[in-house]
Amino acid sequence: MKQNNMNWTIYDIAREARVSAKTVSRVLNDKPGVKETTRAKILDIMRKVQYHPHMGARALRGKRQGCIGITVPAPLNVAPLSQSFFIWLFGELFRLFSPRGEYLCFDMNPFAAQPKPDYARGLWQQLYKACIVVGPLALEDKTIFRIHESGVPYVVFGRLDGFPECSYATVDYEEGCYESTKFLIKRGHKRIAMLKAFSGYEPGLERRRGYLRALEEAGLTPDENLIRSVTFGSRNIANVVHRLLAQSDVTALLDCSGVEDGASIREGARRAGKVPGKDFEVLSWTYADNGAVLAEACAHMWLPVREAASEGLELLGEWIDEKRAGPIHVLYRPVLNEKVTGGEIPKPKRLFDVLD
Amino acid sequence: MKQNNMNWTIYDIAREARVSAKTVSRVLNDKPGVKETTRAKILDIMRKVQYHPHMGARALRGKRQGCIGITVPAPLNVAPLSQSFFIWLFGELFRLFSPRGEYLCFDMNPFAAQPKPDYARGLWQQLYKACIVVGPLALEDKTIFRIHESGVPYVVFGRLDGFPECSYATVDYEEGCYESTKFLIKRGHKRIAMLKAFSGYEPGLERRRGYLRALEEAGLTPDENLIRSVTFGSRNIANVVHRLLAQSDVTALLDCSGVEDGASIREGARRAGKVPGKDFEVLSWTYADNGAVLAEACAHMWLPVREAASEGLELLGEWIDEKRAGPIHVLYRPVLNEKVTGGEIPKPKRLFDVLD
DNA sequence: CTGTTAGCGCTTTCAC
DNA sequence: GTGAAAGCGCTAACAG
């Protein structure tokens, strides 16, 4: 008999059980057409020798083998996913995929020491049987098309213009910006400055569009100088706010950067000699329900990104199981909260970290 | 010509380049024996069609393919790895393995919905080319032997009695307990109670042994009643401390539970009508350099677990690259800190969470 | 109910 | 320098 510590193959099992390899394969895959006694005998041997099928061989022959790949399409300095979001995501993945006995595979490569990052390597190498794309897509992203065409179940926590078929679970940033701007217009503001992040990425574009659409509807002329891209550094935000308030007749600040950094906005205002909530109004975006970025803000827009992602993952599981077909289309609407409830400002569980 | 969005094989590449598959394979693996012009032509085609080798096929034929597996040998209620440790570990893995373009594969399965947990599934299925075992090994653990025998590079953040060949990167808990106990004996204590966690696991055993050795050397008779197992729940710790202090003549408490929960110790003492640092002395273990679990403690023992793990990962990388051979033996000595420096007590970055 | 055969994409002899 | 052929462990198609 073969040594126990060797790797057994279905042929070894077959020889041992005096059946053919195909029968062993049938047992392995829970397929019908095997006598119960034969099945029991084979299962017994498998247990005894601690047999495990070779994943590579399976992937080679059949399809739909492998791990669930988790990948990030943007470098971490563009979308500095926070620890708390990361932990949240891991928890969700665990909750959903642990009972199914899946492997989660993180690609460590994309943005390190690579000239041309390919964030879906694992898919081309047929290591993944499904793929979760975490974060904003670059405007010129082509990879997502290839992922889509590969036919593998996948979901993106973001969208791409001109690719509505894409499988996504995200929040409607355009809608968010449109509603935010409209809200400020309704309060009488005509010079509304916008802080937006993710320049060069789809979410940045969506925000811009929503903002412009609201202005146009109200018959206001947009001023490019009022649209400012910020990065995830608090000094940067303070600087941008400072310049914005110092040199113009801005009466409202729409902070849809998603940085959730109220202190920096306040600091920028202070340098410009203005006080938020008094000299100008602020509407800030937050990723936490009922979270307030700035107590002085006249309203907060809640972007239920986590909630959308959670539903997307759920649906991905069903797609993998072929209980439903792809692609996934989960698009949550942002929610405007005019007042902060309670005395204490709930500290938002950030989606992104501020880099300093 | 083959469609671009199909999966190309080396044969397709070979046909295109008018060479044999073997030549393509040689180029793919950076092997010598190919004319420079041929090599360039092949690389060019590969780039053009976005060729990626099939991981399964490679794993099937050659050896040493696949991801780096991360696995946890103990259920999370035994070793509730904290978020901060988890983030730390992920950061380390990223730092080390990202530049190498590795995949990190987390087995989500072991302790969910499985009758007999097999925390190294991925290894038997030949999905992993290396394996990191995070956490304490159960005393009856057999899996670790199989991992060792498989010849795959691996490292355990823990050890196992009677298996010194095991590849590990950890801290000497026995030494830590021995030195801790000796320290308390030197201060005149004769009735030293010990709080220890991980009962049924190797680290628990090591602690017990170190404690008993120190008592024996000092000619003190051990009292089984003074050795108490605690779990990672704060109520549990308070209860155990309460009972320990209420019913005996204990003058010193050696808290090598690793729970880093000073508040619960204080609470237990309060219930017994005693004050730590006054009615009895405490020596507490911590996983943070210069971290203090309890301000009233007469000393802290720092267990440099993270530091050992970090070095272990580094060496694992070299083992994978065959720049060194296995197994890895990294054993850090704990460090006794008599005084807490600075006025503020640094909050330890916990290794384990307290479950409540 | 069970077995035979071929082939997935790659690497490894060994030959030229 | 290069290629032909075999085979890694598994499964799908087709026989019986």
Side-chain angles (χ1 to χ4, degrees):
Chain A
M1 183 167 160
K2 199 163 177 170
Q3 286 293 315
N4 247 22
N5 56 7
M6 298 272 298
N7 281 319
W8 282 58
T9 73
I10 49 169
Y11 286 102
D12 300 319
I13 307 270
R15 194 180 334 108
E16 201 69 17
R18 288 163 212 282
V19 294
S20 80
K22 180 62 203 161
T23 303
V24 179
S25 172
R26 272 192 271 262
V27 172
L28 194 58
N29 294 286
D30 255 324
K31 293 257 167 75
V34 185
K35 218 200 303 173
E36 259 326 303
T37 54
T38 316
R39 184 184 297 273
K41 198 205 303 178
I42 290 172
L43 282 173
D44 201 52
I45 297 171
M46 285 181 171
R47 208 169 315 110
K48 199 157 19 190
V49 303
Q50 310 204 59
Y51 168 78
H52 288 268
H54 190 299
M55 275 201 101
R58 289 185 121 177
L60 193 55
R61 199 63 189 80
K63 286 294 156 196
R64 290 278 160 98
Q65 293 295 328
C67 335
I68 297 180
I70 321 282
T71 182
V72 177
L76 289 178
N77 60 328
V78 170
L81 294 170
S82 73
Q83 296 189 357
S84 73
F85 176 71
F86 208 78
I87 285 286
W88 173 85
L89 178 63
F90 211 93
E92 283 294 294
L93 293 169
F94 192 83
R95 186 179 65 74
L96 260 158
F97 295 115
S98 161
R100 307 161 41 114
E102 305 279 8
Y103 293 99
L104 287 192
C105 197
F106 290 78
D107 188 351
M108 295 272 102
N109 192 45
F111 299 99
Q114 263 241 335
K116 215 189 158 201
D118 181 357
Y119 63 81
R121 270 194 320 151
L123 215 55
W124 322 139
Q125 303 183 356
Q126 312 204 38
L127 173 64
Y128 303 163
K129 68 172 173 191
C131 189
I132 300 163
V133 181
V134 181
L137 295 179
L139 293 176
E140 75 281 5
D141 190 301
K142 297 273 170 290
T143 308
I144 197 64
F145 294 96
R146 296 190 67 205
I147 296 179
H148 187 85
E149 279 164 17
S150 76
V152 163
Y154 77 101
V155 66
V156 186
F157 294 163
R159 291 190 296 170
L160 197 54
D161 255 12
F163 188 35
E165 313 89 310
C166 178
S167 179
Y168 57 80
T170 184
V171 162
D172 194 335
Y173 298 111
E174 172 166 352
E175 171 82 11
C177 240
Y178 172 73
E179 293 295 344
S180 298
T181 311
K182 230 168 87 176
F183 177 84
L184 290 171
I185 292 171
K186 217 185 286 171
R187 284 174 82 91
H189 295 287
K190 290 189 162 29
R191 298 283 294 167
I192 302 165
M194 173 166 77
L195 297 186
K196 83 182 189 26
F198 300 111
S199 109
Y201 285 77
E202 185 65 23
L205 197 68
E206 291 186 20
R207 282 160 211 214
R208 184 190 167 82
R209 222 167 23 214
Y211 170 76
L212 292 177
R213 183 154 62 91
L215 289 189
E216 191 179 6
E217 271 188 17
L220 295 170
T221 325
D223 178 351
E224 280 299 332
N225 281 319
L226 297 188
I227 305 176
R228 298 296 175 95
S229 285
V230 299
T231 62
F232 284 82
S234 59
R235 234 161 310 150
N236 172 265
I237 294 173
N239 288 344
V240 170
V241 170
H242 175 188
R243 272 176 290 155
L244 217 36
L245 295 175
Q247 63 174 214
S248 69
D249 47 352
V250 164
T251 62
L253 186 66
L254 169 52
D255 164 32
C256 48
S257 66
V259 181
E260 298 189 307
D261 184 6
S264 294
I265 292 177
R266 208 178 282 130
E267 165 67 10
R270 192 194 57 75
R271 290 193 210 156
K274 306 211 170 165
V275 178
K278 221 182 106 217
D279 302 320
F280 67 105
E281 286 202 317
V282 180
L283 190 162
S284 238
W285 280 17
T286 169
Y287 297 111
D289 185 14
N290 211 13
V293 170
L294 199 69
E296 306 92 304
C298 63
H300 279 85
M301 181 69 89
W302 169 40
L303 286 287
V305 168
R306 284 190 185 80
E307 291 69 12
S310 192
E311 184 171 336
L313 293 178
E314 200 108 27
L315 295 178
L316 182 67
E318 293 175 13
W319 186 0
I320 294 172
D321 290 344
E322 295 180 310
K323 290 206 182 105
R324 57 156 286 156
I328 292 160
H329 292 311
V330 172
L331 189 64
Y332 275 40
R333 287 185 57 131
V335 176
L336 191 79
N337 292 318
E338 281 203 45
K339 301 204 192 281
V340 181
T341 56
E344 276 296 288
I345 303 174
K347 217 165 120 192
K349 271 200 160 187
R350 284 189 170 154
L351 214 56
F352 303 100
D353 268 344
V354 173
L355 308 166
D356 261 322
Chain B
M1 185 167 158
K2 196 161 179 172
Q3 287 291 316
N4 246 22
N5 56 6
M6 298 271 296
N7 281 319
W8 282 58
T9 73
I10 47 169
Y11 284 101
D12 301 318
I13 306 271
R15 193 178 339 104
E16 201 69 19
R18 290 160 211 285
V19 295
S20 79
K22 179 59 203 164
T23 303
V24 178
S25 171
R26 271 192 272 259
V27 171
L28 195 59
N29 294 288
D30 257 324
K31 293 257 168 76
V34 185
K35 219 197 305 171
E36 259 325 302
T37 55
T38 316
R39 183 183 299 271
K41 197 204 308 180
I42 291 172
L43 283 173
D44 201 52
I45 296 172
M46 285 182 170
R47 209 170 313 112
K48 201 158 18 196
V49 302
Q50 311 205 56
Y51 168 79
H52 287 268
H54 189 300
M55 275 202 98
R58 290 186 120 176
L60 192 55
R61 201 58 188 85
K63 288 292 157 199
R64 290 279 160 99
Q65 291 295 328
C67 334
I68 297 181
I70 320 282
T71 184
V72 176
L76 289 179
N77 61 330
V78 170
L81 295 170
S82 74
Q83 295 189 356
S84 73
F85 177 71
F86 207 79
I87 286 285
W88 174 85
L89 178 62
F90 213 94
E92 283 294 295
L93 293 169
F94 191 83
R95 187 178 65 74
L96 260 158
F97 294 115
S98 167
R100 308 164 40 119
E102 303 279 9
Y103 293 99
L104 286 193
C105 198
F106 290 78
D107 189 351
M108 295 274 100
N109 193 46
F111 299 98
Q114 266 241 335
K116 215 189 159 202
D118 180 357
Y119 64 81
R121 270 195 321 151
L123 216 55
W124 322 139
Q125 300 180 186
Q126 313 202 38
L127 173 62
Y128 303 163
K129 69 171 172 192
C131 190
I132 300 164
V133 181
V134 181
L137 295 179
L139 293 176
E140 74 278 3
D141 191 300
K142 297 272 171 291
T143 308
I144 198 63
F145 293 96
R146 295 190 67 205
I147 296 178
H148 188 85
E149 278 165 17
S150 75
V152 163
Y154 77 100
V155 65
V156 186
F157 296 163
R159 289 191 296 170
L160 198 54
D161 255 11
F163 187 34
E165 313 88 310
C166 178
S167 179
Y168 57 80
T170 186
V171 161
D172 194 335
Y173 299 110
E174 171 164 354
E175 171 82 12
C177 240
Y178 173 73
E179 293 294 344
S180 298
T181 311
K182 228 169 89 174
F183 177 84
L184 289 170
I185 292 171
K186 219 185 286 171
R187 285 174 81 90
H189 296 287
K190 291 189 159 33
R191 299 283 292 168
I192 301 167
M194 172 166 78
L195 298 186
K196 85 180 186 30
F198 300 109
S199 111
Y201 285 77
E202 184 65 24
L205 197 69
E206 291 185 20
R207 282 160 211 216
R208 185 190 168 81
R209 220 167 22 212
Y211 171 77
L212 293 177
R213 183 154 61 91
L215 288 188
E216 192 180 4
E217 271 189 16
L220 295 170
T221 324
D223 177 351
E224 280 297 332
N225 281 320
L226 296 189
I227 304 176
R228 297 296 175 95
S229 285
V230 298
T231 62
F232 284 82
S234 60
R235 233 161 310 148
N236 172 265
I237 294 173
N239 288 344
V240 170
V241 170
H242 176 188
R243 271 176 290 154
L244 216 35
L245 294 176
Q247 65 175 215
S248 67
D249 48 353
V250 164
T251 61
L253 185 65
L254 169 52
D255 163 32
C256 49
S257 65
V259 181
E260 298 189 306
D261 184 6
S264 294
I265 292 176
R266 209 178 281 131
E267 165 66 12
R270 192 193 56 78
R271 291 191 210 157
K274 306 214 170 163
V275 177
K278 222 182 105 217
D279 303 320
F280 68 104
E281 285 201 314
V282 180
L283 189 161
S284 236
W285 281 16
T286 171
Y287 296 111
D289 185 14
N290 210 14
V293 170
L294 199 70
E296 306 93 304
C298 65
H300 280 85
M301 180 70 87
W302 169 41
L303 286 286
V305 168
R306 285 189 185 81
E307 291 70 12
S310 193
E311 183 171 337
L313 293 179
E314 199 108 27
L315 295 178
L316 181 66
E318 293 174 12
W319 186 0
I320 294 172
D321 289 344
E322 296 182 309
K323 290 207 183 104
R324 57 156 286 156
I328 291 161
H329 291 311
V330 172
L331 191 64
Y332 275 41
R333 287 186 59 133
V335 177
L336 191 78
N337 291 318
E338 281 206 43
K339 299 205 193 278
V340 181
T341 56
E344 277 294 289
I345 302 173
K347 218 165 119 194
K349 270 203 158 182
R350 282 186 172 156
L351 215 55
F352 303 101
D353 268 343
V354 173
L355 307 167
D356 258 323

